[in-house]
Amino acid sequence: MKPLGDAIARAYEMVRPCTVCGNWDTQDPCSICTDETRDKTVICCVQDVSDVWALERARAHRGLYHVLGGVISPLDGVGPDDLRLRELTERAGQPAVLEVVLALPATVDGQTTAHYASERLEGLGVTITGMARGVPVGGELDVLDEGTLAAALKARRPL
Ligand SMILES: [Zn+2]
């Protein structure tokens, strides 16, 4: 167990939040922010670092990230000032940035946060987008909840 414990302790000491995007890495700015091959025109805004890793595993996004560090939640006492929203607005205001994807949870708190963030980003000259909602890959319709079914049908597109 000791080598494992030592490795965890070493990782704990070396890993820190990226001062640009909020991702965790052993370097600051993180390896995503400093990767010259990434598309610097698109920032994908997520709730937590685990969302960055999920999107990276899926190879779904080749742009940059911005970790908010939570969502607005009056019940939990989390307000806009507790999140990295000001930093997002500053980054989105840079001329190189053309789009901000608000990839936030499909919950009341997540959508409240997305709405608040999009209002703050308005007027900066960036396209503000959100995640599509609907039928999961490999999913059957008759097992989906009503909210997902309704959202999927509403977001239908020509084939
Ligand atoms: Zn970073």
Side-chain angles (χ1 to χ4, degrees), residues 136-155:
V137 174
E140 300 284 353
L141 296 195
D142 57 355
V143 296
L144 292 181
D145 65 279
E146 290 81 4
T148 304
L149 269 178
L153 198 57
K154 202 172 160 199

Side-chain angles (χ1 to χ4, degrees), residues 18-23 28-34 65 91:
C18 171
T19 47
V20 178
C21 74
N23 183 27
D28 181 21
C30 72
S31 50
I32 294 176
C33 285
T34 52
Y65 291 96
R91 290 182 72 195

Side-chain angles (χ1 to χ4, degrees), residues 91-110:
R91 290 182 72 195
Q94 292 166 5
V97 179
L98 303 178
E99 180 181 354
V100 174
V101 187
L102 296 169
L104 296 170
T107 59
V108 172
D109 289 347

Side-chain angles (χ1 to χ4, degrees), residues 10 29 37 55 62 67 72 78 87 110 116-117 141 152-153:
R10 218 169 27 250
T37 68
L55 286 162
R62 287 302 303 161
V67 179
I72 296 169
V78 181
E87 290 89 337
Y116 184 88
L141 296 195
L153 198 57

